[in-house]
Amino acid sequence: MSSPKHSKRLSLPVMPSGALRLKTTSIPPKTPLEALQGQDPSKPTTIKELESKASRDSRRFEWDLLIVGTALKLLLFPAYRSTDFEVHRNWMAITHSLPVSKWYFEYLLSIPASFIDSKMVELDNLNYDSWSVIVYQRSTVIVSELVMALALRA
């Protein structure tokens, strides 16, 4: 036995053929430009304007992100020092002290470091962590990131 919910059937009245005629018209879909017409005049109305606005918004967001990231890194200058701190200071000292055949990229960072604080690039100066070393190392990270961001934007 079936439940009362399922036993009901929908019945439609039967009409003679031709008695019910539906008039159908097709409405052409609006183009994006037609869909945007009649909106606020300050808003973009062409696809090109929409793409241009999206591109400007994207670039603005990227610059905002870069500025916030740089500001955060500047605020973290006095933060803790990891083991990488001494590793990088030591690499600068090694590359500054050894012949060119025994070093790589870090040498470029050791050149200005020797002018800022000559003790920073002394090979036998283990665990040297003056404020000048901290500022220099963290600044080179920030500058490298900014150079990379500018290169990627070009």
Side-chain angles (χ1 to χ4, degrees):
M1 191 172 232
S2 65
S3 69
K5 288 181 187 177
H6 298 298
S7 64
K8 292 183 181 180
R9 291 187 180 194
L10 180 65
S11 62
L12 298 173
V14 178
M15 296 190 167
S17 70
L20 180 64
R21 290 191 182 188
L22 297 174
K23 185 176 181 183
T24 60
T25 59
S26 63
I27 300 171
K30 290 184 175 183
T31 64
L33 183 58
E34 290 170 340
L36 292 172
Q37 286 178 344
Q39 290 185 356
D40 183 359
S42 65
K43 292 184 180 176
T45 57
T46 65
I47 299 297
K48 196 172 251 187
E49 287 175 357
L50 286 171
E51 289 172 348
S52 176
K53 183 181 181 327
S55 177
R56 281 192 310 268
D57 290 348
S58 174
R59 276 181 285 184
R60 175 69 183 171
F61 175 74
E62 289 170 357
W63 280 110
D64 288 347
L65 194 60
L66 190 64
I67 290 167
V68 168
T70 301
L72 181 63
K73 288 180 179 102
L74 290 170
L75 290 173
L76 292 173
F77 266 28
Y80 79 99
R81 293 176 223 21
S82 68
T83 55
D84 286 349
F85 173 82
E86 178 57 24
V87 169
H88 288 291
R89 194 215 56 82
N90 195 37
W91 266 110
M92 280 193 304
I94 290 170
T95 58
H96 191 76
S97 304
L98 295 176
V100 175
S101 63
K102 301 198 182 219
W103 53 258
Y104 56 100
F105 174 75
E106 196 81 23
Y107 180 74
L108 296 175
L109 295 174
S110 76
I111 296 169
S114 66
F115 293 109
I116 293 169
D117 184 350
S118 61
K119 292 180 183 177
M120 189 185 326
V121 291
E122 289 179 10
L123 195 52
D124 298 326
N125 205 1
L126 294 176
N127 296 318
Y128 181 69
D129 66 348
S130 73
W131 183 245
S132 61
V133 177
I134 295 163
V135 171
Y136 180 73
Q137 286 188 346
R138 295 200 171 155
S139 296
T140 58
V141 170
I142 292 170
V143 169
S144 298
E145 185 178 77
L146 292 173
V147 167
M148 182 182 69
L150 289 172
L152 292 174
R153 290 300 308 153

